[in-house]
Amino acid sequence: MGRHGARLRWVVALVSVTIAVLATVDRFVEREREWAHGGDQVAVTVEARLPEPDQVTGTAAALGWPHATDRVRGDPDRQSVVLRLRWSGPPRKGSYQVMVLDNRNSPPRALSPEGGSDAAGDTGFNWADAYEVLAARYDWLADTAAREESDGTESGAPHAGAIGTRAIGDGSLIAVFRLDPGALPLDDPSRLVVAFCHVDADGEVRWAKRVPVPPSY
């Protein structure tokens, strides 16, 4: 009886470990699938403008930013990009974070965010350590990785920044980004690419979707 009981306990333990391992594998596979295809259910469109410095405020207002005159100014030393994004898909907990990159560089160069506006009002910009995973997951977001300084310490990506908005099912965002002071002038917005990322309520990045920017006419 004792030997039978010991064998039964061993079988139960083995089954429990097997179930735990299989559950872990399933979560890993599901997470990998989410990284690769998490954004497939969200349709995103982008409209871009490349205004002169004295036209940035008016362009943002024309695209739908009601208080742009109070928040957005052009910079004569840095070219501005004004975007209007629209998306449609299932609502999610957390936020969508939007980045813009200059695809003339390899890897694409992240632009600096200036600010944005959605249906809830003006929205600022941010960057979190949790976003560093994007560079490891997507080669086209390699420029968002932390930099190693000469003293061996790491600092955040100097150019990276995201403009956040609620992860509602159907929404829109007006966003202003700026190129580096030394960047070559941009005259074709299709040389830009948008990273549309989902960050859950706990601050964990779930996926990023690459959205091409069409030329303006």
Side-chain angles (χ1 to χ4, degrees):
M1 189 71 179
R3 181 179 300 175
H4 176 73
R7 183 181 296 113
L8 181 60
R9 288 192 296 272
W10 182 86
V11 170
V12 170
L14 179 61
V15 170
S16 299
V17 170
T18 301
I19 292 174
V21 170
L22 290 176
T24 300
V25 170
D26 284 345
R27 285 194 297 270
F28 174 80
V29 171
E30 181 59 31
R31 190 69 180 96
E32 291 299 306
R33 185 180 297 114
E34 185 179 22
W35 279 118
H37 301 290
D40 290 356
Q41 292 182 317
V42 184
V44 185
T45 60
V46 181
E47 183 180 353
R49 297 288 184 271
L50 302 172
E52 295 296 327
D54 61 349
Q55 298 173 349
V56 172
T57 299
T59 300
L63 288 178
W65 189 332
H67 308 298
T69 54
D70 301 325
R71 297 294 301 274
V72 182
R73 298 286 187 273
D75 184 340
D77 298 320
R78 305 182 66 185
Q79 187 177 11
S80 297
V81 177
V82 183
L83 303 173
R84 177 165 59 193
L85 292 91
R86 292 189 175 96
W87 64 90
S88 179
R92 291 178 167 84
K93 295 181 179 179
S95 67
Y96 288 134
Q97 299 293 330
V98 175
M99 288 174 277
V100 179
L101 304 101
D102 186 345
N103 207 25
R104 296 176 297 175
N105 301 276
S106 182
R109 185 78 161 176
L111 275 60
S112 301
E114 181 66 17
S117 175
D118 59 17
D122 294 351
T123 178
F125 53 87
N126 71 97
W127 187 256
D129 291 343
Y131 302 172
E132 298 287 346
V133 70
L134 289 167
R137 282 287 169 177
Y138 305 102
D139 56 1
W140 56 280
L141 286 172
D143 191 54
T144 64
R147 302 290 196 274
E148 183 173 340
E149 304 295 342
S150 57
D151 60 2
T153 60
E154 283 193 350
S155 64
H159 310 283
I163 294 178
T165 185
R166 298 168 301 156
I168 59 178
D170 297 279
S172 64
L173 173 72
I174 312 299
V176 178
F177 288 80
R178 286 182 177 150
L179 277 71
D180 291 342
L184 293 174
L186 181 69
D187 57 11
D188 181 2
S190 68
R191 304 303 298 272
L192 299 171
V193 63
V194 167
F196 191 79
C197 314
H198 177 222
V199 178
D200 66 22
D202 295 323
E204 181 181 356
V205 180
R206 307 304 302 184
W207 48 259
K209 179 184 181 74
R210 182 170 181 161
V211 183
V213 178
S216 60
Y217 299 101

